[in-house]
Amino acid sequence: MLNSMGGGDFTAAMDQFVRWGLDVVDLKDGIYGKSIGDLTEEETDTAAQALQERNLSVYCFSTGLFYEDIEYGEQHFRDRHLGMLDNILRSAQKLRPLMIRLLAAQTAQRDHIVNSTDYIRECAPWVFEVYREAIDRIHDAGFQVTIENEAHACIWASPQEVVSFYQELDRSGRVHFTWDVQNLWQMGTFPSLSVYNELRPLIGFLHLKGGQVRGASSELVWKSALEDASWPVEQITRQAIADGVSPVICLNPSHGQPKEGYDYNNLTERDLLYLRSIIWKEVSS
């Protein structure tokens, strides 16, 4: 899970990870008050020591690279995002994550386009080259690369957009897909086993969140524990485990509105216990 889900400052959060019996951590925000891309060398050394003392290792650097509207243009993405990559790779040499995450970009035209890959080909073909450059630099530095779908104005709102984007990238073997199940749901694709099967050849990492619908609607309305989610959590998760697509499964906090009368106490611990029960069922079957 994300380091910030341990609560408190970074050291306290890592102590909580140990109490939860976790071995790996996904580093994102809240590392001495900074995001993973902003750490100084001294802060990186301090974080590395804190992890080593607790026998924790870093599975993923969850960077915010590329999560802006592509309409800002190529030079903005090169200056702002590719420009941060050197510092991220320096930190990675000390913290040694297995993988480094990029985010699927946003588009201000999301409500007006049907297929974002077609739109990018026609209006912003540089997007593919910027991603290729980041992927190649990370891969050549010795780390796996993953791209995660996001929840707001994301270029990926359907499995077809994800698949066509990866085909256009032409970086098979160098980059895989992090399927954040709830994020794609928020973009309009309700989680199902058929959706999983469409994405399965690309998936290398799985992010799970709860979430509930209201009535007969399929739209996410309320945040919830994973066990109470409206999507088929156990079915999809067990299939992903059986297929071996995601060696580590990452828990994230649920999006959505608070639901009146719902018990939100100890949500992280409840999700962790529930996920462990699913894993145990699958490996024991």
Side-chain angles (χ1 to χ4, degrees):
M1 65 179 70
L2 300 174
N3 60 279
S4 58
M5 294 173 68
D9 61 19
F10 182 72
T11 302
M14 295 306 93
D15 287 338
Q16 181 62 69
F17 270 52
V18 172
R19 288 192 290 273
W20 282 332
L22 299 173
D23 300 314
V24 296
V25 56
D26 189 322
L27 293 182
K28 185 182 178 183
D29 298 322
I31 309 167
Y32 310 121
K34 294 184 177 181
S35 69
I36 192 65
D38 296 324
L39 293 177
T40 64
E41 288 194 42
E42 182 180 0
E43 289 163 341
T44 301
D45 288 337
T46 304
Q49 182 177 352
L51 292 167
Q52 183 178 13
E53 289 172 351
R54 292 159 180 80
N55 294 315
L56 293 168
S57 62
V58 182
Y59 192 73
C60 182
F61 267 15
S62 284
T63 79
L65 292 179
F66 298 145
Y67 192 51
E68 281 195 283
D69 287 352
I70 60 177
E71 288 77 18
Y72 283 122
E74 180 177 2
Q75 197 57 52
H76 176 83
F77 271 71
R78 287 190 175 278
D79 292 344
R80 182 181 176 93
H81 296 278
L82 285 181
M84 294 176 62
L85 194 50
D86 285 338
N87 189 55
I88 289 168
L89 289 174
R90 278 194 296 270
S91 295
Q93 293 300 332
K94 296 184 176 184
L95 289 165
R96 304 306 304 174
L98 182 71
M99 69 179 67
I100 296 177
R101 179 195 77 172
L102 309 174
L103 285 173
Q106 296 173 300
T107 172
Q109 299 301 312
R110 181 68 266 183
D111 292 339
H112 309 291
I113 58 176
V114 175
N115 187 297
S116 62
T117 306
D118 291 340
Y119 170 68
I120 294 168
R121 286 193 193 106
E122 294 171 10
C123 300
W126 57 265
V127 169
F128 300 112
E129 190 52 45
V130 167
Y131 272 94
R132 290 185 194 113
E133 184 173 332
I135 290 164
D136 290 345
R137 286 174 62 186
I138 295 169
H139 178 272
D140 292 346
F143 304 99
Q144 293 182 23
V145 192
T146 190
I147 310 174
E148 180 185 349
N149 59 296
E150 266 293 352
H152 306 290
C154 184
I155 57 171
W156 294 338
S158 69
Q160 295 77 22
E161 289 183 325
V162 177
V163 171
S164 61
F165 189 93
Y166 274 79
Q167 289 172 341
E168 189 72 28
L169 271 183
D170 191 27
R171 284 298 184 272
S172 178
R174 289 196 163 214
V175 60
H176 59 63
F177 174 53
T178 291
W179 181 28
D180 186 303
V181 177
Q182 193 185 81
N183 284 357
L184 199 63
W185 177 13
Q186 285 183 268
M187 289 300 302
T189 299
F190 185 81
S192 68
L193 197 57
S194 63
V195 169
Y196 164 77
N197 285 328
E198 286 185 77
L199 295 169
R200 178 167 53 86
L202 298 173
I203 295 173
F205 199 16
L206 191 63
H207 282 196
L208 303 183
K209 303 175 177 135
Q212 292 183 342
V213 302
R214 178 191 287 119
S217 170
S218 63
E219 293 184 6
L220 171 69
V221 177
W222 294 300
K223 62 180 178 180
S224 79
L226 204 57
E227 187 172 15
D228 300 327
S230 298
W231 61 277
V233 177
E234 182 168 342
Q235 182 187 32
I236 291 174
T237 304
R238 291 188 66 171
Q239 190 61 57
I241 295 168
D243 293 339
V245 298
S246 183
V248 168
I249 296 174
C250 187
L251 288 172
N252 283 188
S254 177
H255 298 170
Q257 305 168 20
K259 185 178 183 181
E260 185 176 356
Y262 188 87
D263 179 13
Y264 289 102
N265 291 317
N266 303 314
L267 219 57
T268 301
E269 292 91 335
R270 287 156 56 189
D271 284 351
L272 182 58
L273 287 172
Y274 178 59
L275 179 55
R276 281 174 166 160
S277 73
I278 293 174
I279 294 170
W280 178 250
K281 286 179 186 176
E282 183 56 35
V283 298
S284 300
S285 63

PDB file of all heavy atoms in Angstrom, residues 105-138:
ATOM      1  N   ALA A 105      -1.814  10.578 -18.957  1.00  0.00           N
ATOM      2  CA  ALA A 105      -2.054  12.023 -18.979  1.00  0.00           C
ATOM      3  C   ALA A 105      -3.548  12.341 -18.967  1.00  0.00           C
ATOM      4  O   ALA A 105      -4.407  11.459 -19.076  1.00  0.00           O
ATOM      5  CB  ALA A 105      -1.391  12.630 -20.211  1.00  0.00           C
ATOM      6  N   GLN A 106      -3.830  13.605 -18.855  1.00  0.00           N
ATOM      7  CA  GLN A 106      -5.198  14.116 -18.937  1.00  0.00           C
ATOM      8  C   GLN A 106      -5.395  14.815 -20.280  1.00  0.00           C
ATOM      9  O   GLN A 106      -4.436  15.151 -20.976  1.00  0.00           O
ATOM     10  CB  GLN A 106      -5.456  15.129 -17.820  1.00  0.00           C
ATOM     11  CG  GLN A 106      -5.384  14.574 -16.413  1.00  0.00           C
ATOM     12  CD  GLN A 106      -5.493  15.688 -15.381  1.00  0.00           C
ATOM     13  OE1 GLN A 106      -4.681  16.600 -15.346  1.00  0.00           O
ATOM     14  NE2 GLN A 106      -6.504  15.611 -14.532  1.00  0.00           N
ATOM     15  N   THR A 107      -6.653  15.054 -20.620  1.00  0.00           N
ATOM     16  CA  THR A 107      -6.974  15.869 -21.778  1.00  0.00           C
ATOM     17  C   THR A 107      -8.177  16.751 -21.486  1.00  0.00           C
ATOM     18  O   THR A 107      -9.188  16.282 -20.930  1.00  0.00           O
ATOM     19  CB  THR A 107      -7.256  15.034 -23.035  1.00  0.00           C
ATOM     20  OG1 THR A 107      -7.737  15.905 -24.081  1.00  0.00           O
ATOM     21  CG2 THR A 107      -8.282  13.943 -22.793  1.00  0.00           C
ATOM     22  N   ALA A 108      -8.069  18.018 -21.863  1.00  0.00           N
ATOM     23  CA  ALA A 108      -9.172  18.961 -21.694  1.00  0.00           C
ATOM     24  C   ALA A 108     -10.323  18.634 -22.631  1.00  0.00           C
ATOM     25  O   ALA A 108     -11.432  19.167 -22.463  1.00  0.00           O
ATOM     26  CB  ALA A 108      -8.671  20.387 -21.944  1.00  0.00           C
ATOM     27  N   GLN A 109     -10.092  17.753 -23.591  1.00  0.00           N
ATOM     28  CA  GLN A 109     -11.114  17.380 -24.580  1.00  0.00           C
ATOM     29  C   GLN A 109     -11.814  16.065 -24.231  1.00  0.00           C
ATOM     30  O   GLN A 109     -12.536  15.524 -25.071  1.00  0.00           O
ATOM     31  CB  GLN A 109     -10.465  17.274 -25.967  1.00  0.00           C
ATOM     32  CG  GLN A 109      -9.851  18.561 -26.475  1.00  0.00           C
ATOM     33  CD  GLN A 109     -10.866  19.674 -26.577  1.00  0.00           C
ATOM     34  OE1 GLN A 109     -11.962  19.479 -27.122  1.00  0.00           O
ATOM     35  NE2 GLN A 109     -10.535  20.842 -26.047  1.00  0.00           N
ATOM     36  N   ARG A 110     -11.637  15.589 -23.018  1.00  0.00           N
ATOM     37  CA  ARG A 110     -12.155  14.272 -22.652  1.00  0.00           C
ATOM     38  C   ARG A 110     -13.640  14.113 -22.972  1.00  0.00           C
ATOM     39  O   ARG A 110     -14.066  13.051 -23.452  1.00  0.00           O
ATOM     40  CB  ARG A 110     -11.917  14.028 -21.167  1.00  0.00           C
ATOM     41  CG  ARG A 110     -12.377  12.678 -20.630  1.00  0.00           C
ATOM     42  CD  ARG A 110     -11.563  11.516 -21.156  1.00  0.00           C
ATOM     43  NE  ARG A 110     -12.147  10.898 -22.342  1.00  0.00           N
ATOM     44  CZ  ARG A 110     -11.631   9.830 -22.947  1.00  0.00           C
ATOM     45  NH1 ARG A 110     -10.535   9.261 -22.482  1.00  0.00           N
ATOM     46  NH2 ARG A 110     -12.196   9.333 -24.024  1.00  0.00           N
ATOM     47  N   ASP A 111     -14.434  15.136 -22.718  1.00  0.00           N
ATOM     48  CA  ASP A 111     -15.881  15.027 -22.933  1.00  0.00           C
ATOM     49  C   ASP A 111     -16.265  15.087 -24.402  1.00  0.00           C
ATOM     50  O   ASP A 111     -17.440  14.871 -24.750  1.00  0.00           O
ATOM     51  CB  ASP A 111     -16.616  16.140 -22.186  1.00  0.00           C
ATOM     52  CG  ASP A 111     -16.527  15.990 -20.678  1.00  0.00           C
ATOM     53  OD1 ASP A 111     -16.258  14.866 -20.209  1.00  0.00           O
ATOM     54  OD2 ASP A 111     -16.717  16.998 -19.977  1.00  0.00           O
ATOM     55  N   HIS A 112     -15.305  15.378 -25.276  1.00  0.00           N
ATOM     56  CA  HIS A 112     -15.627  15.605 -26.689  1.00  0.00           C
ATOM     57  C   HIS A 112     -14.995  14.579 -27.617  1.00  0.00           C
ATOM     58  O   HIS A 112     -15.156  14.682 -28.837  1.00  0.00           O
ATOM     59  CB  HIS A 112     -15.170  17.009 -27.111  1.00  0.00           C
ATOM     60  CG  HIS A 112     -15.650  18.090 -26.199  1.00  0.00           C
ATOM     61  ND1 HIS A 112     -16.983  18.454 -26.114  1.00  0.00           N
ATOM     62  CD2 HIS A 112     -14.992  18.882 -25.312  1.00  0.00           C
ATOM     63  CE1 HIS A 112     -17.125  19.433 -25.214  1.00  0.00           C
ATOM     64  NE2 HIS A 112     -15.932  19.702 -24.719  1.00  0.00           N
ATOM     65  N   ILE A 113     -14.279  13.608 -27.072  1.00  0.00           N
ATOM     66  CA  ILE A 113     -13.632  12.607 -27.916  1.00  0.00           C
ATOM     67  C   ILE A 113     -14.117  11.212 -27.545  1.00  0.00           C
ATOM     68  O   ILE A 113     -14.491  10.951 -26.406  1.00  0.00           O
ATOM     69  CB  ILE A 113     -12.094  12.681 -27.808  1.00  0.00           C
ATOM     70  CG1 ILE A 113     -11.631  12.480 -26.363  1.00  0.00           C
ATOM     71  CG2 ILE A 113     -11.571  14.001 -28.362  1.00  0.00           C
ATOM     72  CD1 ILE A 113     -10.120  12.449 -26.189  1.00  0.00           C
ATOM     73  N   VAL A 114     -14.101  10.332 -28.542  1.00  0.00           N
ATOM     74  CA  VAL A 114     -14.545   8.955 -28.331  1.00  0.00           C
ATOM     75  C   VAL A 114     -13.350   8.058 -28.031  1.00  0.00           C
ATOM     76  O   VAL A 114     -13.383   7.246 -27.112  1.00  0.00           O
ATOM     77  CB  VAL A 114     -15.308   8.436 -29.564  1.00  0.00           C
ATOM     78  CG1 VAL A 114     -15.662   6.962 -29.388  1.00  0.00           C
ATOM     79  CG2 VAL A 114     -16.559   9.277 -29.800  1.00  0.00           C
ATOM     80  N   ASN A 115     -12.279   8.202 -28.812  1.00  0.00           N
ATOM     81  CA  ASN A 115     -11.085   7.393 -28.612  1.00  0.00           C
ATOM     82  C   ASN A 115      -9.877   8.312 -28.497  1.00  0.00           C
ATOM     83  O   ASN A 115      -9.509   8.994 -29.457  1.00  0.00           O
ATOM     84  CB  ASN A 115     -10.891   6.408 -29.763  1.00  0.00           C
ATOM     85  CG  ASN A 115      -9.741   5.439 -29.501  1.00  0.00           C
ATOM     86  OD1 ASN A 115      -8.591   5.845 -29.375  1.00  0.00           O
ATOM     87  ND2 ASN A 115     -10.057   4.148 -29.405  1.00  0.00           N
ATOM     88  N   SER A 116      -9.260   8.344 -27.327  1.00  0.00           N
ATOM     89  CA  SER A 116      -8.167   9.281 -27.075  1.00  0.00           C
ATOM     90  C   SER A 116      -6.928   8.961 -27.905  1.00  0.00           C
ATOM     91  O   SER A 116      -6.160   9.865 -28.249  1.00  0.00           O
ATOM     92  CB  SER A 116      -7.803   9.280 -25.587  1.00  0.00           C
ATOM     93  OG  SER A 116      -7.358   7.998 -25.176  1.00  0.00           O
ATOM     94  N   THR A 117      -6.716   7.695 -28.237  1.00  0.00           N
ATOM     95  CA  THR A 117      -5.544   7.348 -29.044  1.00  0.00           C
ATOM     96  C   THR A 117      -5.646   7.987 -30.427  1.00  0.00           C
ATOM     97  O   THR A 117      -4.661   8.527 -30.952  1.00  0.00           O
ATOM     98  CB  THR A 117      -5.384   5.826 -29.156  1.00  0.00           C
ATOM     99  OG1 THR A 117      -5.354   5.257 -27.841  1.00  0.00           O
ATOM    100  CG2 THR A 117      -4.097   5.468 -29.883  1.00  0.00           C
ATOM    101  N   ASP A 118      -6.828   7.948 -31.022  1.00  0.00           N
ATOM    102  CA  ASP A 118      -7.034   8.615 -32.310  1.00  0.00           C
ATOM    103  C   ASP A 118      -6.807  10.118 -32.175  1.00  0.00           C
ATOM    104  O   ASP A 118      -6.174  10.740 -33.040  1.00  0.00           O
ATOM    105  CB  ASP A 118      -8.452   8.349 -32.818  1.00  0.00           C
ATOM    106  CG  ASP A 118      -8.669   6.896 -33.223  1.00  0.00           C
ATOM    107  OD1 ASP A 118      -7.665   6.197 -33.478  1.00  0.00           O
ATOM    108  OD2 ASP A 118      -9.832   6.476 -33.279  1.00  0.00           O
ATOM    109  N   TYR A 119      -7.322  10.696 -31.105  1.00  0.00           N
ATOM    110  CA  TYR A 119      -7.161  12.130 -30.872  1.00  0.00           C
ATOM    111  C   TYR A 119      -5.684  12.491 -30.735  1.00  0.00           C
ATOM    112  O   TYR A 119      -5.213  13.487 -31.315  1.00  0.00           O
ATOM    113  CB  TYR A 119      -7.943  12.529 -29.621  1.00  0.00           C
ATOM    114  CG  TYR A 119      -7.666  13.935 -29.128  1.00  0.00           C
ATOM    115  CD1 TYR A 119      -8.066  15.042 -29.869  1.00  0.00           C
ATOM    116  CD2 TYR A 119      -7.000  14.142 -27.924  1.00  0.00           C
ATOM    117  CE1 TYR A 119      -7.810  16.337 -29.416  1.00  0.00           C
ATOM    118  CE2 TYR A 119      -6.745  15.426 -27.463  1.00  0.00           C
ATOM    119  CZ  TYR A 119      -7.158  16.519 -28.208  1.00  0.00           C
ATOM    120  OH  TYR A 119      -6.897  17.795 -27.766  1.00  0.00           O
ATOM    121  N   ILE A 120      -4.938  11.703 -29.988  1.00  0.00           N
ATOM    122  CA  ILE A 120      -3.517  11.980 -29.788  1.00  0.00           C
ATOM    123  C   ILE A 120      -2.752  11.827 -31.101  1.00  0.00           C
ATOM    124  O   ILE A 120      -1.886  12.649 -31.433  1.00  0.00           O
ATOM    125  CB  ILE A 120      -2.936  11.065 -28.695  1.00  0.00           C
ATOM    126  CG1 ILE A 120      -3.560  11.407 -27.337  1.00  0.00           C
ATOM    127  CG2 ILE A 120      -1.416  11.195 -28.614  1.00  0.00           C
ATOM    128  CD1 ILE A 120      -3.264  10.386 -26.253  1.00  0.00           C
ATOM    129  N   ARG A 121      -3.068  10.780 -31.862  1.00  0.00           N
ATOM    130  CA  ARG A 121      -2.405  10.610 -33.155  1.00  0.00           C
ATOM    131  C   ARG A 121      -2.588  11.843 -34.042  1.00  0.00           C
ATOM    132  O   ARG A 121      -1.653  12.274 -34.734  1.00  0.00           O
ATOM    133  CB  ARG A 121      -2.977   9.386 -33.885  1.00  0.00           C
ATOM    134  CG  ARG A 121      -2.554   8.044 -33.355  1.00  0.00           C
ATOM    135  CD  ARG A 121      -2.943   6.960 -34.355  1.00  0.00           C
ATOM    136  NE  ARG A 121      -2.837   5.625 -33.791  1.00  0.00           N
ATOM    137  CZ  ARG A 121      -3.878   4.870 -33.430  1.00  0.00           C
ATOM    138  NH1 ARG A 121      -5.117   5.354 -33.566  1.00  0.00           N
ATOM    139  NH2 ARG A 121      -3.701   3.664 -32.931  1.00  0.00           N
ATOM    140  N   GLU A 122      -3.781  12.396 -34.019  1.00  0.00           N
ATOM    141  CA  GLU A 122      -4.107  13.499 -34.919  1.00  0.00           C
ATOM    142  C   GLU A 122      -3.638  14.856 -34.393  1.00  0.00           C
ATOM    143  O   GLU A 122      -3.173  15.703 -35.165  1.00  0.00           O
ATOM    144  CB  GLU A 122      -5.631  13.545 -35.137  1.00  0.00           C
ATOM    145  CG  GLU A 122      -6.186  12.340 -35.871  1.00  0.00           C
ATOM    146  CD  GLU A 122      -7.702  12.312 -35.865  1.00  0.00           C
ATOM    147  OE1 GLU A 122      -8.315  13.327 -35.457  1.00  0.00           O
ATOM    148  OE2 GLU A 122      -8.283  11.285 -36.264  1.00  0.00           O
ATOM    149  N   CYS A 123      -3.757  15.074 -33.069  1.00  0.00           N
ATOM    150  CA  CYS A 123      -3.549  16.421 -32.525  1.00  0.00           C
ATOM    151  C   CYS A 123      -2.303  16.570 -31.662  1.00  0.00           C
ATOM    152  O   CYS A 123      -1.825  17.702 -31.473  1.00  0.00           O
ATOM    153  CB  CYS A 123      -4.775  16.831 -31.698  1.00  0.00           C
ATOM    154  SG  CYS A 123      -6.305  16.862 -32.643  1.00  0.00           S
ATOM    155  N   ALA A 124      -1.769  15.471 -31.137  1.00  0.00           N
ATOM    156  CA  ALA A 124      -0.608  15.573 -30.244  1.00  0.00           C
ATOM    157  C   ALA A 124       0.250  14.323 -30.334  1.00  0.00           C
ATOM    158  O   ALA A 124       0.506  13.651 -29.326  1.00  0.00           O
ATOM    159  CB  ALA A 124      -1.075  15.795 -28.809  1.00  0.00           C
ATOM    160  N   PRO A 125       0.746  13.982 -31.526  1.00  0.00           N
ATOM    161  CA  PRO A 125       1.527  12.740 -31.670  1.00  0.00           C
ATOM    162  C   PRO A 125       2.814  12.722 -30.855  1.00  0.00           C
ATOM    163  O   PRO A 125       3.361  11.648 -30.587  1.00  0.00           O
ATOM    164  CB  PRO A 125       1.831  12.702 -33.178  1.00  0.00           C
ATOM    165  CG  PRO A 125       1.682  14.114 -33.652  1.00  0.00           C
ATOM    166  CD  PRO A 125       0.609  14.712 -32.799  1.00  0.00           C
ATOM    167  N   TRP A 126       3.276  13.885 -30.414  1.00  0.00           N
ATOM    168  CA  TRP A 126       4.472  13.962 -29.570  1.00  0.00           C
ATOM    169  C   TRP A 126       4.285  13.231 -28.233  1.00  0.00           C
ATOM    170  O   TRP A 126       5.275  12.855 -27.593  1.00  0.00           O
ATOM    171  CB  TRP A 126       4.836  15.426 -29.299  1.00  0.00           C
ATOM    172  CG  TRP A 126       3.725  16.215 -28.668  1.00  0.00           C
ATOM    173  CD1 TRP A 126       2.801  16.996 -29.298  1.00  0.00           C
ATOM    174  CD2 TRP A 126       3.405  16.279 -27.264  1.00  0.00           C
ATOM    175  NE1 TRP A 126       1.921  17.542 -28.396  1.00  0.00           N
ATOM    176  CE2 TRP A 126       2.276  17.112 -27.138  1.00  0.00           C
ATOM    177  CE3 TRP A 126       3.967  15.719 -26.119  1.00  0.00           C
ATOM    178  CZ2 TRP A 126       1.689  17.398 -25.902  1.00  0.00           C
ATOM    179  CZ3 TRP A 126       3.382  15.985 -24.888  1.00  0.00           C
ATOM    180  CH2 TRP A 126       2.262  16.818 -24.786  1.00  0.00           C
ATOM    181  N   VAL A 127       3.032  13.057 -27.816  1.00  0.00           N
ATOM    182  CA  VAL A 127       2.757  12.395 -26.537  1.00  0.00           C
ATOM    183  C   VAL A 127       3.407  11.012 -26.504  1.00  0.00           C
ATOM    184  O   VAL A 127       4.040  10.624 -25.508  1.00  0.00           O
ATOM    185  CB  VAL A 127       1.240  12.296 -26.281  1.00  0.00           C
ATOM    186  CG1 VAL A 127       0.939  11.366 -25.101  1.00  0.00           C
ATOM    187  CG2 VAL A 127       0.650  13.681 -26.030  1.00  0.00           C
ATOM    188  N   PHE A 128       3.258  10.260 -27.587  1.00  0.00           N
ATOM    189  CA  PHE A 128       3.842   8.913 -27.623  1.00  0.00           C
ATOM    190  C   PHE A 128       5.358   8.974 -27.502  1.00  0.00           C
ATOM    191  O   PHE A 128       5.966   8.157 -26.802  1.00  0.00           O
ATOM    192  CB  PHE A 128       3.437   8.201 -28.913  1.00  0.00           C
ATOM    193  CG  PHE A 128       1.957   8.044 -29.080  1.00  0.00           C
ATOM    194  CD1 PHE A 128       1.273   8.737 -30.073  1.00  0.00           C
ATOM    195  CD2 PHE A 128       1.233   7.209 -28.241  1.00  0.00           C
ATOM    196  CE1 PHE A 128      -0.098   8.590 -30.233  1.00  0.00           C
ATOM    197  CE2 PHE A 128      -0.140   7.050 -28.389  1.00  0.00           C
ATOM    198  CZ  PHE A 128      -0.806   7.755 -29.392  1.00  0.00           C
ATOM    199  N   GLU A 129       5.976   9.942 -28.148  1.00  0.00           N
ATOM    200  CA  GLU A 129       7.436  10.036 -28.098  1.00  0.00           C
ATOM    201  C   GLU A 129       7.929  10.417 -26.708  1.00  0.00           C
ATOM    202  O   GLU A 129       8.963   9.916 -26.239  1.00  0.00           O
ATOM    203  CB  GLU A 129       7.942  11.050 -29.131  1.00  0.00           C
ATOM    204  CG  GLU A 129       9.453  11.031 -29.305  1.00  0.00           C
ATOM    205  CD  GLU A 129       9.997   9.632 -29.573  1.00  0.00           C
ATOM    206  OE1 GLU A 129       9.415   8.898 -30.402  1.00  0.00           O
ATOM    207  OE2 GLU A 129      11.010   9.267 -28.933  1.00  0.00           O
ATOM    208  N   VAL A 130       7.206  11.296 -26.019  1.00  0.00           N
ATOM    209  CA  VAL A 130       7.594  11.680 -24.663  1.00  0.00           C
ATOM    210  C   VAL A 130       7.499  10.470 -23.724  1.00  0.00           C
ATOM    211  O   VAL A 130       8.403  10.238 -22.910  1.00  0.00           O
ATOM    212  CB  VAL A 130       6.720  12.847 -24.158  1.00  0.00           C
ATOM    213  CG1 VAL A 130       6.895  13.048 -22.662  1.00  0.00           C
ATOM    214  CG2 VAL A 130       7.069  14.133 -24.898  1.00  0.00           C
ATOM    215  N   TYR A 131       6.434   9.700 -23.853  1.00  0.00           N
ATOM    216  CA  TYR A 131       6.321   8.482 -23.044  1.00  0.00           C
ATOM    217  C   TYR A 131       7.431   7.491 -23.394  1.00  0.00           C
ATOM    218  O   TYR A 131       8.032   6.879 -22.501  1.00  0.00           O
ATOM    219  CB  TYR A 131       4.954   7.831 -23.232  1.00  0.00           C
ATOM    220  CG  TYR A 131       3.889   8.347 -22.301  1.00  0.00           C
ATOM    221  CD1 TYR A 131       3.037   9.377 -22.676  1.00  0.00           C
ATOM    222  CD2 TYR A 131       3.727   7.803 -21.023  1.00  0.00           C
ATOM    223  CE1 TYR A 131       2.060   9.856 -21.821  1.00  0.00           C
ATOM    224  CE2 TYR A 131       2.747   8.265 -20.156  1.00  0.00           C
ATOM    225  CZ  TYR A 131       1.917   9.297 -20.563  1.00  0.00           C
ATOM    226  OH  TYR A 131       0.948   9.770 -19.706  1.00  0.00           O
ATOM    227  N   ARG A 132       7.707   7.323 -24.684  1.00  0.00           N
ATOM    228  CA  ARG A 132       8.772   6.390 -25.080  1.00  0.00           C
ATOM    229  C   ARG A 132      10.103   6.803 -24.472  1.00  0.00           C
ATOM    230  O   ARG A 132      10.872   5.948 -24.010  1.00  0.00           O
ATOM    231  CB  ARG A 132       8.884   6.348 -26.603  1.00  0.00           C
ATOM    232  CG  ARG A 132       7.724   5.669 -27.314  1.00  0.00           C
ATOM    233  CD  ARG A 132       7.976   5.573 -28.806  1.00  0.00           C
ATOM    234  NE  ARG A 132       6.739   5.241 -29.525  1.00  0.00           N
ATOM    235  CZ  ARG A 132       6.107   6.067 -30.358  1.00  0.00           C
ATOM    236  NH1 ARG A 132       6.609   7.278 -30.601  1.00  0.00           N
ATOM    237  NH2 ARG A 132       5.003   5.695 -30.954  1.00  0.00           N
ATOM    238  N   GLU A 133      10.384   8.091 -24.481  1.00  0.00           N
ATOM    239  CA  GLU A 133      11.654   8.559 -23.934  1.00  0.00           C
ATOM    240  C   GLU A 133      11.749   8.256 -22.440  1.00  0.00           C
ATOM    241  O   GLU A 133      12.783   7.778 -21.956  1.00  0.00           O
ATOM    242  CB  GLU A 133      11.820  10.058 -24.175  1.00  0.00           C
ATOM    243  CG  GLU A 133      13.163  10.590 -23.709  1.00  0.00           C
ATOM    244  CD  GLU A 133      13.408  12.031 -24.104  1.00  0.00           C
ATOM    245  OE1 GLU A 133      12.854  12.475 -25.131  1.00  0.00           O
ATOM    246  OE2 GLU A 133      14.154  12.719 -23.379  1.00  0.00           O
ATOM    247  N   ALA A 134      10.667   8.516 -21.697  1.00  0.00           N
ATOM    248  CA  ALA A 134      10.670   8.226 -20.263  1.00  0.00           C
ATOM    249  C   ALA A 134      10.804   6.732 -20.013  1.00  0.00           C
ATOM    250  O   ALA A 134      11.576   6.291 -19.140  1.00  0.00           O
ATOM    251  CB  ALA A 134       9.392   8.764 -19.626  1.00  0.00           C
ATOM    252  N   ILE A 135      10.063   5.933 -20.763  1.00  0.00           N
ATOM    253  CA  ILE A 135      10.120   4.480 -20.598  1.00  0.00           C
ATOM    254  C   ILE A 135      11.532   3.965 -20.854  1.00  0.00           C
ATOM    255  O   ILE A 135      12.080   3.171 -20.072  1.00  0.00           O
ATOM    256  CB  ILE A 135       9.108   3.802 -21.556  1.00  0.00           C
ATOM    257  CG1 ILE A 135       7.677   4.088 -21.095  1.00  0.00           C
ATOM    258  CG2 ILE A 135       9.368   2.288 -21.637  1.00  0.00           C
ATOM    259  CD1 ILE A 135       6.630   3.798 -22.152  1.00  0.00           C
ATOM    260  N   ASP A 136      12.136   4.419 -21.924  1.00  0.00           N
ATOM    261  CA  ASP A 136      13.472   3.941 -22.271  1.00  0.00           C
ATOM    262  C   ASP A 136      14.505   4.360 -21.234  1.00  0.00           C
ATOM    263  O   ASP A 136      15.395   3.568 -20.868  1.00  0.00           O
ATOM    264  CB  ASP A 136      13.870   4.462 -23.656  1.00  0.00           C
ATOM    265  CG  ASP A 136      13.061   3.822 -24.780  1.00  0.00           C
ATOM    266  OD1 ASP A 136      12.409   2.795 -24.531  1.00  0.00           O
ATOM    267  OD2 ASP A 136      13.079   4.370 -25.902  1.00  0.00           O
ATOM    268  N   ARG A 137      14.400   5.582 -20.732  1.00  0.00           N
ATOM    269  CA  ARG A 137      15.365   6.041 -19.734  1.00  0.00           C
ATOM    270  C   ARG A 137      15.243   5.257 -18.434  1.00  0.00           C
ATOM    271  O   ARG A 137      16.245   4.873 -17.821  1.00  0.00           O
ATOM    272  CB  ARG A 137      15.176   7.539 -19.472  1.00  0.00           C
ATOM    273  CG  ARG A 137      15.683   8.423 -20.597  1.00  0.00           C
ATOM    274  CD  ARG A 137      15.358   9.884 -20.366  1.00  0.00           C
ATOM    275  NE  ARG A 137      16.001  10.405 -19.149  1.00  0.00           N
ATOM    276  CZ  ARG A 137      15.778  11.629 -18.674  1.00  0.00           C
ATOM    277  NH1 ARG A 137      14.921  12.446 -19.290  1.00  0.00           N
ATOM    278  NH2 ARG A 137      16.404  12.039 -17.585  1.00  0.00           N
ATOM    279  N   ILE A 138      14.021   4.994 -18.016  1.00  0.00           N
ATOM    280  CA  ILE A 138      13.812   4.231 -16.778  1.00  0.00           C
ATOM    281  C   ILE A 138      14.258   2.783 -16.963  1.00  0.00           C
ATOM    282  O   ILE A 138      14.953   2.213 -16.115  1.00  0.00           O
ATOM    283  CB  ILE A 138      12.332   4.302 -16.357  1.00  0.00           C
ATOM    284  CG1 ILE A 138      11.937   5.744 -15.998  1.00  0.00           C
ATOM    285  CG2 ILE A 138      12.070   3.370 -15.170  1.00  0.00           C
ATOM    286  CD1 ILE A 138      10.449   5.957 -15.835  1.00  0.00           C
TER     287      ILE A 138
END
